[in-house]
């Protein structure tokens, strides 16, 4: 279908009569939705001359005496265009026969009722004037089919054709509305200043792999993985509330739904002594975005474990969940709290032969009913021991089947009933493995049984269990360990080097005040002033209080993270901190992910105009490309094939 696009261009100047009319044409004076809203003004009023611009939406039907064409305007609305040889000139009627789906056009005429629908107020535009502004060169019938079934089936190199469809028009328009609301809330309600920070930054070890930008001076810039250091320097520059919709770049594994370049709602505040002040601003954004643009309420888990709609945005609403509680109850630091599946600790009854992973725990799916094979096939985890069983007659089954786990007290009673499923695994005392095997099991269960283990909604004293609408449930996960031991290669059990540390969030995060002394004695026990915002099992944002004391920051770099060339890498930050930089804290929200969730999509590609594919290629422009040797030599680069 798209072959015809590979055109042979002539070397001659194109024909003036063909080209110039494409540049001089009547511009739209209204839109289809405005016409529909003001029908009485337009209907059968030949003096009310209308011009619309847009694309042909479906294959036209042109017979010898009658022609029907469908125009889609910039809002994605459609109107039928109607012509007979009597309503328009011969030349235009002839032109209509050349029209093809997705051509861009300008049409002028007046509005009348559709003949067959005279009472129903369905209208059409009678064509008086018509211009093809650019033909699409596409095989209409196939493209039309693709547009209707799934716009994503249109080949990705023709992203602009995908984007013309209602799905993507809505996605990108929603994204634009969300950015406007964010700016309104942050600037108008909270006095933030939007400041752009450089994209040509320098290479520093902040966590992710960077993209380097060569220069002719044989030095390199790096694209920022986030504006973290610049925003901290801004806090030292007299701005107390900064934000930006920031482009970030990370040269990371693209297999999961990630993009090498993405956007964050990045913010920072100074002179604050408590991270709740960041939380309040962020919740103001989140509740408003979901309420006003997502048309959905936000919920929290209340003190008795039910879902409660958030109606009052004063004060922090989402519950705070300790990292260690998240891991022990749900096996992951971003639990989907729409579901109340919590693990049971079986440590008193069983012992694991690998004593680095002494905790034996279970996730029980009560009354699971039919278990599809697709689900059990997915439970073949590399990390063992992991077992699952369906209870049939009696529960002696554990002792016999779990390799590596021994019964230490036979008096266990898990209160299993026929039809229940039990999954059992182990974890270390302090879990760095994230998710744990049971955490993965819980995630797969949620995917497989999306309606089964939902928490009830508590409303006006009643518990509602059979609701079928999507709920948006948020929580703050706090008290993360400030450092993790470095993970080593391993096959079954994860292995760590407990003498080498890396920052859980980033190296600029402050510790909990009460854990300060542990920085010297036992860094792995130190908790960070770090908070993640998790919504429906997705980590939507994360942030922290920062270290604004340059001595302490230097200590963390040197003594804990063992960074050698601190001056070269972070001297700029230490200097800015040491010159009266106020206490500050901040956070960044994944803007693409948030937009995707708002439109109900699981892929951030749906809300990015020109995403890269899984190989990091932009299929529209076919980047990245090779660069010829002469250009490379200006940058002092040679490429080893
Ligand atoms: N810069 C951090 C990130 O990209 C967010 C923050 O701490 O504000 O995750």
């Amino acid at each position: 279908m798209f072959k015809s696009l590979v055109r042979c261009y002539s070397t001659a100047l194109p024909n003036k009569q063909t080209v110039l009319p494409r540049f001089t044409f009547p511009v739209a004076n209204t839109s289809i939705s405005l016409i529909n809203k003001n029908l009485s003004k337009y209907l059968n009023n030949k003096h009310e001359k209308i011009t619309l611009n847009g694309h042909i939406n479906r294959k036209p039907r042109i017979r010898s005496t009658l022609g029907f064409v469908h125009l889609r305007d910039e809002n994605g609305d459609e109107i039928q265009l109607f012509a007979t040889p009597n309503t328009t000139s011969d030349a235009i009627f002839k032109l209509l026969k050349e029209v093809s789906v997705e051509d861009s056009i300008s049409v002028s005429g007046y509005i009348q009722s559709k003949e067959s629908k005279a009472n129903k107020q369905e209208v059409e535009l009678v064509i008086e004037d018509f211009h093809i502004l650019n033909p699409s060169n596409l095989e209409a019938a196939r493209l039309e089919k693709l547009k209707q079934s799934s716009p994503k089936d249109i080949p990705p190199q023709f992203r602009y054709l995908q984007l013309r469809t209602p799905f993507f028009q809505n996605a990108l328009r929603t994204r634009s509305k969300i950015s406007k609301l964010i700016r309104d809330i942050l600037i108008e309600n909270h006095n933030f200043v939007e400041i752009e920070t450089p994209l040509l930054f320098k290479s520093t070890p902040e966590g992710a792999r960077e993209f380097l930008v060569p220069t002719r001076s044989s030095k390199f810039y790096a694209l920022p993985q986030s504006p973290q250091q610049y925003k901290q320097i801004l806090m030292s520059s007299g701005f107390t509330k900064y934000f930006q919709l920031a482009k970030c770049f990370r040269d990371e594994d693209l297999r999961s739904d990630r993009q090498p370049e993405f956007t964050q709602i990045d913010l920072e505040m100074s002179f604050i002594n408590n991270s709740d002040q960041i939380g309040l601003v962020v919740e103001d954004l989140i509740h408003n975005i979901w309420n006003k643009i997502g048309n959905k309420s936000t919920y929290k888990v209340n003190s008795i474990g039910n879902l409660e709609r958030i109606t009052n945005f004063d004060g922090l609403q989402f519950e705070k969940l300790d990292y260690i509680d998240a891991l022990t109850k749900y096996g992951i630091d971003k639990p989907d709290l729409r579901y109340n599946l919590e693990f049971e600790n079986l440590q008193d009854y069983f012992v694991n032969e690998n004593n680095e992973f002494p905790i034996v725990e279970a996730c029980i799916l009560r009354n699971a009913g039919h278990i599809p094979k697709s689900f059990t096939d997915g439970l073949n985890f590399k990390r063992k021991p992991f077992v699952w069983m369906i209870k049939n007659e009696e529960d002696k089954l554990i002792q016999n089947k779990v390799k590596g786990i021994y019964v230490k007290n036979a008096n266990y009673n898990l209160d299993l009933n026929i039809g229940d499923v039990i999954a059992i695994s182990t974890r270390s005392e302090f879990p760095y493995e994230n998710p744990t095997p049971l955490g993965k099991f819980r995630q797969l269960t949620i995917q497989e049984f999306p309606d089964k283990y939902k928490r009830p909604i508590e409303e006006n004293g009643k518990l509602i269990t059979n609701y079928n609408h999507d709920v948006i449930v948020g929580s703050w996960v706090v008290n993360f360990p400030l450092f993790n031991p470095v993970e080593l290669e391993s096959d079954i059990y994860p292995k760590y080097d407990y003498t080498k540390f890396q920052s859980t969030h980033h190296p600029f995060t402050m510790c909990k005040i009460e854990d300060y002394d542990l920085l010297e004695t036992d860094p792995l026990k130190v908790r960070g002033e770090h908070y993640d915002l998790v919504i429906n099992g997705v980590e939507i944002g994360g942030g922290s209080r920062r270290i604004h004391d340059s001595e302490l920051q230097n200590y963390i770099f040197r003594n804990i993270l063992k960074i050698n060339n601190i001056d070269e890498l972070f001297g700029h930050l230490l200097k800015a901190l040491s010159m009266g930089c106020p206490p500050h804290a901040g956070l960044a929200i994944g803007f693409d992910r948030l937009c995707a969730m708002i439109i109900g999509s699981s892929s951030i590609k749906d809300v990015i105009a020109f995403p890269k594919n899984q190989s990091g290629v932009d299929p529209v422009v076919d980047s990245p490309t090779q660069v010829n040797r002469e250009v490379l030599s200006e940058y002092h680069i040679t490429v080893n094939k």
Side-chain angles (χ1 to χ4, degrees):
M1 153 179 53
F2 296 94
K3 271 195 205 123
S4 56
L5 282 183
V6 184
R7 294 165 68 155
C8 287
Y9 289 99
S10 133
T11 51
L13 180 67
N15 183 311
K16 195 171 173 175
Q17 274 73 35
T18 315
V19 173
L20 291 190
R22 294 180 180 177
F23 291 84
T24 46
F25 62 93
V27 170
N29 57 11
T30 184
S31 67
I32 298 168
S33 79
L34 280 178
I35 294 172
N36 287 329
K37 273 190 205 134
N38 300 294
L39 264 189
S40 54
K41 173 173 160 201
Y42 292 108
L43 201 56
N44 300 326
N45 183 353
K46 289 193 182 172
H47 303 295
E48 200 60 62
K49 179 127 165 172
I50 281 168
T51 299
L52 293 171
N53 298 158
H55 288 92
I56 300 296
N57 203 32
R58 319 185 201 171
K59 193 161 179 256
R61 282 175 292 140
I62 313 291
R63 301 196 197 102
S64 53
T65 56
L66 211 60
F68 295 104
V69 179
H70 287 86
L71 166 85
R72 184 184 73 242
D73 74 1
E74 59 158 351
N75 301 318
D77 297 318
E78 191 187 57
I79 191 166
Q80 178 167 291
L81 313 178
F82 169 79
T84 69
N86 298 333
T87 60
T88 189
S89 67
D90 284 354
I92 288 181
F93 200 77
K94 212 166 131 219
L95 185 63
L96 290 179
K97 294 186 179 147
E98 290 169 25
V99 170
S100 173
V101 74
E102 289 308 318
D103 290 358
S104 61
I105 61 156
S106 170
V107 59
S108 305
Y110 62 91
I111 294 293
Q112 70 176 19
S113 288
K114 279 189 191 170
E115 211 170 73
S116 56
K117 308 264 166 78
N119 310 327
K120 283 203 189 156
Q121 293 247 309
E122 270 194 39
V123 296
E124 61 195 358
L125 186 144
V126 181
I127 301 172
E128 292 177 322
D129 191 15
F130 192 91
H131 301 255
I132 300 179
L133 309 181
N134 217 349
S136 68
N137 300 309
L138 296 173
E139 202 187 286
R142 283 191 57 201
L143 177 64
E144 207 182 340
K145 236 188 234 156
L146 281 179
K147 283 199 304 177
Q148 278 158 10
S149 58
S150 166
K152 291 182 209 168
D153 290 342
I154 299 173
Q157 62 268 41
F158 303 111
R159 179 69 170 174
Y160 31 87
L161 297 180
Q162 293 184 349
L163 294 184
R164 284 184 200 173
T165 61
F167 173 82
F168 284 109
Q169 287 282 314
N170 173 55
L172 293 187
R173 285 162 193 268
T174 304
R175 181 180 174 117
S176 158
K177 283 186 201 151
I178 299 173
S179 359
K180 175 169 187 310
L181 186 60
I182 290 167
R183 291 194 161 97
D184 288 349
I185 293 176
L186 291 179
I187 297 171
E188 305 299 330
N189 300 6
H190 297 281
N191 245 333
F192 274 72
V193 182
E194 182 170 9
I195 300 175
E196 289 158 83
T197 52
L199 291 186
L200 294 177
F201 181 44
K202 90 183 213 185
S203 177
T204 65
E206 216 178 272
R209 194 184 304 130
E210 302 161 319
F211 284 100
L212 291 176
V213 182
T215 68
R216 281 171 295 138
S217 69
S218 75
K219 291 182 178 166
F220 291 82
Y221 294 108
L223 300 179
Q225 42 188 290
S226 85
Q228 183 63 36
Q229 296 179 55
Y230 276 120
K231 71 174 170 173
Q232 290 195 237
I233 297 172
L234 277 174
M235 293 300 103
S236 197
S237 316
F239 294 97
T240 51
K241 290 174 173 183
Y242 138 96
F243 87 101
Q244 106 180 269
L245 291 181
K247 277 275 185 184
C248 305
F249 305 85
R250 294 182 192 173
D251 188 3
E252 285 180 327
D253 177 8
L254 298 171
R255 264 170 303 156
S256 53
D257 188 37
R258 292 216 191 125
Q259 286 285 305
E261 88 181 84
F262 58 96
T263 307
Q264 286 184 340
I265 310 166
D266 191 45
L267 51 93
E268 197 76 12
M269 292 164 82
S270 65
F271 292 113
I272 58 174
N273 60 7
N274 165 340
S275 42
D276 285 1
Q277 285 149 297
I278 295 287
L280 287 173
V281 173
V282 171
E283 285 207 24
D284 198 14
L285 288 175
I286 294 294
H287 300 309
N288 274 298
I289 291 171
W290 244 290
N291 284 206
K292 294 188 178 151
I293 299 179
N295 294 321
K296 285 195 179 136
S297 298
T298 42
Y299 288 79
K300 63 180 167 190
V301 177
N302 69 14
S303 53
I304 39 175
N306 297 326
L307 297 183
E308 200 175 299
R309 191 204 305 242
I310 298 170
T311 47
N312 159 18
F313 302 170
D314 291 340
L316 273 194
Q317 297 297 322
F318 291 142
E319 71 155 346
K320 283 188 189 162
L321 186 64
D322 257 33
Y323 170 85
I324 190 75
D325 287 341
L327 264 293
T328 51
K329 284 185 185 168
Y330 310 111
I332 192 164
D333 64 351
K334 37 178 180 288
D336 190 338
L337 295 179
R338 290 174 295 177
Y339 301 87
N340 61 4
L341 285 172
E342 282 183 21
F343 304 158
E344 300 188 26
N345 190 315
L346 307 184
Q347 205 177 348
D348 290 342
Y349 307 113
F350 299 94
V351 61
N352 180 20
E353 66 181 5
N354 180 335
N355 54 20
E356 265 191 66
F357 293 78
I359 311 246
V360 181
E361 54 187 8
C363 180
I364 301 176
L365 310 183
R366 307 243 173 231
N367 191 17
H370 172 70
I371 307 287
K373 187 163 176 310
S374 54
F375 175 61
T376 52
D377 284 352
L379 300 179
N380 195 10
F381 302 148
K382 192 171 126 203
R383 159 80 157 81
K384 301 275 186 297
F386 173 83
V387 283
W388 61 271
M389 285 155 274
I390 304 173
K391 157 92 173 167
N392 31 38
E393 297 97 41
E394 34 137 2
D395 60 2
K396 277 266 154 58
L397 63 192
I398 294 167
Q399 188 178 357
N400 302 336
K401 297 216 180 144
V402 187
K403 241 184 158 177
I405 299 177
Y406 302 101
V407 176
K408 78 174 174 202
N409 176 349
N411 286 335
Y412 60 88
N413 179 3
L414 297 171
D415 200 16
L416 292 178
N417 290 308
I418 290 173
D420 291 352
V421 171
I422 177 167
I424 299 172
S425 189
T426 59
R427 67 167 166 83
S428 53
E429 195 93 49
F430 189 90
Y432 292 111
E433 194 182 11
N434 180 7
T436 63
L438 276 197
K440 279 192 209 152
F441 173 79
R442 186 178 184 275
Q443 282 177 306
L444 292 174
T445 302
I446 290 170
Q447 276 168 24
E448 191 67 49
F449 305 99
D451 291 319
K452 192 127 199 176
Y453 299 101
K454 291 195 296 198
R455 287 177 200 272
I457 295 179
E458 197 174 323
E459 212 158 75
N460 304 326
K462 286 201 193 110
L463 287 188
I464 308 165
T465 47
N466 62 345
Y467 57 93
N468 55 13
H469 59 277
D470 263 356
V471 289
I472 304 300
V473 183
S475 66
W476 291 100
V477 180
V478 297
N479 293 334
F480 283 78
L482 189 58
F483 306 107
N484 281 296
V486 169
E487 190 166 353
L488 304 169
E489 291 273 320
S490 62
D491 4 304
I492 294 180
Y493 279 101
K495 284 205 179 72
Y496 302 96
D497 178 345
Y498 290 97
T499 63
K500 291 201 181 109
F501 312 123
Q502 60 195 19
S503 302
T504 306
H505 187 44
H506 52 50
F508 321 111
T509 300
M510 178 57 184
C511 63
K512 298 271 324 165
I513 307 271
E514 52 278 36
D515 293 351
Y516 191 80
D517 294 335
L518 291 169
L519 284 172
E520 203 168 18
T521 53
D522 195 351
L524 286 179
K525 290 235 162 66
V526 178
R527 291 161 306 156
E529 277 273 5
H530 161 192
Y531 33 86
D532 272 359
L533 177 61
V534 177
I535 292 182
N536 290 2
V538 176
E539 181 201 318
I540 202 91
S544 60
R545 275 188 93 185
R546 324 298 187 188
I547 301 167
H548 68 284
D549 180 294
S550 66
E551 288 285 341
L552 176 59
Q553 184 64 80
N554 188 58
Y555 179 89
I556 305 273
F557 287 148
R558 186 181 310 275
N559 296 40
I560 299 185
L561 299 173
K562 310 278 187 226
I563 296 173
N564 291 326
N565 42 349
I566 299 173
D567 266 358
E568 195 184 306
L569 297 174
F570 294 112
H572 55 274
L573 182 68
L574 293 175
K575 251 184 258 157
L577 294 180
S578 68
M579 295 192 192
C581 179
H584 56 284
L587 169 139
I589 297 173
F591 182 56
D592 309 291
R593 176 71 55 210
L594 177 67
C595 293
M597 288 177 85
I598 292 284
I599 66 155
S601 163
S602 58
S603 172
I604 60 171
K605 281 190 189 157
D606 289 348
V607 291
I608 296 176
F610 301 107
K612 307 276 188 285
N613 68 16
Q614 300 218 324
S615 321
V617 168
D618 176 343
V620 176
V621 301
D622 198 16
S623 66
T625 57
Q626 289 184 338
V627 174
N628 70 36
R629 232 185 261 160
E630 291 75 59
V631 175
L632 285 178
S633 72
E634 283 190 56
Y635 295 90
H636 316 283
I637 294 177
T638 48
V639 176
N640 290 330
K641 287 245 164 92

